[in-house]
Structures are given as structure tokens and as C-alpha cells.
Amino acid sequence: ENMIAKVDRLIIGGAMAYTFFKSRGVPVGRSLVEDDKLDAARQLVRVDHLNGRFWRTRADLPRRVPDAGLVVRTALGEAVAAYFRQEHGPGCEVRRYLRGEKHVFVAYPQDAAEFVLGYEGGRLLELSRRPVFHVVFSFDPTNGTLELHAQGGARVHRDLQQIFARVMFDEELPP
């Protein structure tokens, strides 16, 4: 995680690679794995592989470092959840990563419930699950640039940019 903040690209090899392999479900046998870093490895790989067509950028945000504390991340999660609440579930966790000067906030709002057939205790059952989707806010305070990744049209992007500015800086953005 510390290296991600200092580089644009990182080639992972040696023993560290096994943590990333295991995070993706690849068998690693008795190789050294940092089990406490599996979740971080999964998240870093997911964010780096998001579809480029859903990224939107605007460069008119305040040029200051956002508060990344738990209270603000919780408020951002609640605001994103409220925005999507009509179609999706109530939960939304926000995690923060540093990538050089950029502050990357990844929101995980709940998606609509899915029902799948599966076995539990040897019985075939209809099981429900609450998947999540990604909303990524990548903010560079050196130039006030916000890159946003979210599925949806121009209105969704504009609304989510407003939410970010309101929660992080207590400011409204021009349309």
C-alpha cells in the first residue's frame, strides 16, 4: 500500500505476488501469503481494472487536501447510499487509498438483491445475496481535479461530483 502512493505502475513479484494471487483465488500451496493484506490486494486490483468508459473528469474543485477521516468517509457513504437508495440497498462503505498526490475514495453501495440457487447443508435452496458496485472518486488536491468512475449517464456523474464536493469541502459546484 505504501508503494502505490509513490508510483504510477507497480510490478509485483517474488513472495509479495502470492498475496495477490491468493486474493484472486489462485492456489498458492505453501507459499508465503500475508492473509491480513488479502482485502487490500483485492481492492487495488479491482480499482486498477475499472472500465475506462465510465470515467469522467472535472477540474474546478478546491485545491486543498480533503479530510479522509472516518466521520467524513461515513458521511460520503451515507450520501452515496441515499442517492442510490430508490433502486438499491441502504449500505455503503467508503475506503480511502493514496496514489501519489491523489486521494482515492472507493464507495461500495449495495446493489439490488439477487437470488441464486445453491446448496447449503446438502439441500438445494434459493439463496439471497447483496452484491455491491463501485463508485470511485479520485481527487488531486494539487490542481483541484476530480476523476469519477460510476456507471450511468451525465446526470449521475454530475450528481455524484456534487455529493463529493458537498461532503468533502462543504461547497456546491457550478453545473
Side-chain angles (χ1 to χ4, degrees), residues 2-8 63-66 96-105 137-145 147:
N2 292 332
M3 287 300 297
I4 295 296
K6 297 174 174 80
V7 298
D8 291 327
R63 293 181 180 190
R64 62 179 189 258
V65 175
R96 177 188 161 256
Y97 306 95
L98 282 174
R99 308 264 339 239
E101 296 295 322
K102 292 182 180 180
H103 296 256
V104 180
F105 297 87
F137 303 91
S138 179
F139 179 69
D140 187 343
T142 62
N143 59 17
T145 301
E147 296 172 289

Side-chain angles (χ1 to χ4, degrees), residues 74-96:
T74 300
L76 182 59
E78 288 171 354
V80 170
Y83 181 76
F84 289 110
R85 184 158 286 147
Q86 292 177 345
E87 299 175 26
H88 307 291
C92 183
E93 183 175 326
V94 175
R95 297 184 182 172
R96 177 188 161 256

Side-chain angles (χ1 to χ4, degrees), residues 41-96:
R42 269 187 223 98
Q43 302 312 320
L44 291 171
V45 169
R46 278 192 197 119
V47 169
D48 281 344
H49 290 92
L50 292 173
N51 186 326
R53 74 182 182 135
F54 294 111
W55 283 99
R56 298 294 180 269
T57 302
R58 77 182 288 160
D60 59 349
L61 275 75
R63 293 181 180 190
R64 62 179 189 258
V65 175
D67 181 354
L70 180 60
V71 171
V72 173
R73 289 194 326 268
T74 300
L76 182 59
E78 288 171 354
V80 170
Y83 181 76
F84 289 110
R85 184 158 286 147
Q86 292 177 345
E87 299 175 26
H88 307 291
C92 183
E93 183 175 326
V94 175
R95 297 184 182 172
R96 177 188 161 256

Side-chain angles (χ1 to χ4, degrees), residues 17-23 25-33:
Y18 291 112
T19 300
F20 282 85
F21 288 148
K22 185 173 180 182
S23 77
V26 176
V28 295
R30 293 182 169 193
S31 300
L32 180 63
V33 171

